[in-house]
Amino acid sequence: MSTVTSKDGTTIGYSRIGEGPAVVLVDAACCFRGGGPMPAVAEALTGYTAYTYDRRGRGESTDRGPYAVEREVEDLAAVVEAAGGSAFVHGFSSGAVLALHAAAAGVPIRALTLLEPPLSFEEPTGPDPRDEIDALVAAGRRGDAVIRFQVACGVPEEFTAGIRQSPGWPALEAMAHTTAYDLTITATVPDLPSITAPALVLDSMGSDERLRGWADGVAARLPNARRRTLDGDWHGVAPDVLAAALAEHFGRLQPTE
């Protein structure tokens, strides 16, 4: 593991694998290098140097308040700098929205791939789940905070049944406070028309209409975007299938001999 220091002094842990142009992989909520899809995607992404990192408050990265989306943009910028000063960036779910925030802020991103970014472009209704999540974490009910987040995101019950007995449950509890970070990221729409980096917006064939609709909405608002649907499960695509799509998109920007 290597580390980089973000602008506010937060230590961000990251790993790299492979040889070739740099690709930074940005995790979704409740994921980190020790538990999530990105390490397998990095392994499958041949021909590139893949960087995975623990977003602040997760895994081997530290944290400091108060939270703001800008701090996570600075974290991603620090990893991009460590990767050579510019990079391709792939983001999944809330990580895809974070990548969009970074691109809109001027982080030197050569191209983007975005798997099911959850931006609805509609005014929110009802109570803000971040308030309840913060209260549950403050009360020491971190597990309940994780479940509240998953309910707020519409995760099907089949994916949450028995989750408290799963081997990864302690790690999910440790990251409970960061779920409010992800909800803050997705509650703020980036300046999509300002993002000129070539973007590939992806969804999974096994996902529901809501997730597909969000991907459609993002693609329609980006000035330089392509749209693809990949074979996969609900809110997930196999690492080899995803890596092939990333390599195809990023390869379009590579010089030919």
Side-chain angles (χ1 to χ4, degrees):
M1 185 195 79
S2 301
T3 62
V4 66
T5 302
S6 192
K7 187 175 180 180
D8 72 345
T10 300
T11 299
I12 303 297
Y14 72 92
S15 302
R16 57 174 284 176
I17 185 173
E19 294 292 336
V23 181
V24 177
L25 306 175
V26 188
D27 264 319
C30 298
C31 297
F32 69 119
R33 287 177 300 154
M38 292 307 189
V41 175
E43 289 273 2
L45 193 58
T46 57
Y48 293 86
T49 303
Y51 290 76
T52 55
Y53 75 101
D54 292 334
R55 288 172 52 191
R56 63 172 52 209
R58 311 180 189 194
E60 295 177 280
S61 292
T62 61
D63 199 2
R64 62 176 61 195
Y67 180 77
V69 176
E70 291 77 9
R71 302 294 81 76
E72 287 224 58
V73 168
E74 291 164 359
D75 300 345
L76 177 51
V79 177
V80 169
E81 179 62 28
S86 67
F88 298 120
V89 172
H90 168 68
F92 173 37
S93 196
S94 58
V97 182
L98 175 56
L100 288 167
H101 279 289
V107 175
I109 294 173
R110 298 177 61 189
L112 290 157
T113 55
L114 310 161
L115 177 58
E116 298 187 347
L119 284 174
S120 69
F121 306 102
E122 296 178 359
E123 288 296 322
T125 59
D128 191 335
R130 288 175 291 181
D131 295 333
E132 187 175 350
I133 287 169
D134 288 340
L136 288 168
V137 171
R141 298 170 57 190
R142 301 182 70 89
D144 291 338
V146 172
I147 298 300
R148 179 67 184 91
F149 169 76
Q150 293 177 331
V151 170
C153 292
V155 179
E157 187 176 350
E158 63 193 88
F159 290 92
T160 60
I163 192 171
R164 291 179 186 265
Q165 287 74 48
S166 68
W169 180 248
L172 289 176
E173 285 191 307
M175 293 185 286
H177 63 291
T178 68
T179 60
Y181 300 174
D182 290 280
L183 290 173
T184 300
I185 288 168
T186 57
T188 309
V189 178
D191 183 8
L192 300 182
S194 73
I195 299 172
T196 58
L200 175 63
V201 184
L202 301 163
D203 71 341
S204 169
M205 193 176 296
S207 289
D208 55 51
E209 183 177 347
R210 182 185 61 157
L211 290 168
R212 291 193 298 271
W214 287 343
D216 287 339
V218 169
R221 289 166 173 81
L222 289 169
N224 191 10
R226 296 190 300 135
R227 180 78 170 81
R228 282 187 66 185
T229 296
L230 302 178
D231 186 26
D233 300 321
W234 183 86
H235 203 38
V237 174
D240 58 334
V241 174
L242 182 58
L246 269 57
E248 185 274 335
H249 181 62
F250 298 145
R252 288 168 171 251
L253 292 155
Q254 296 297 99
T256 56
E257 297 182 355

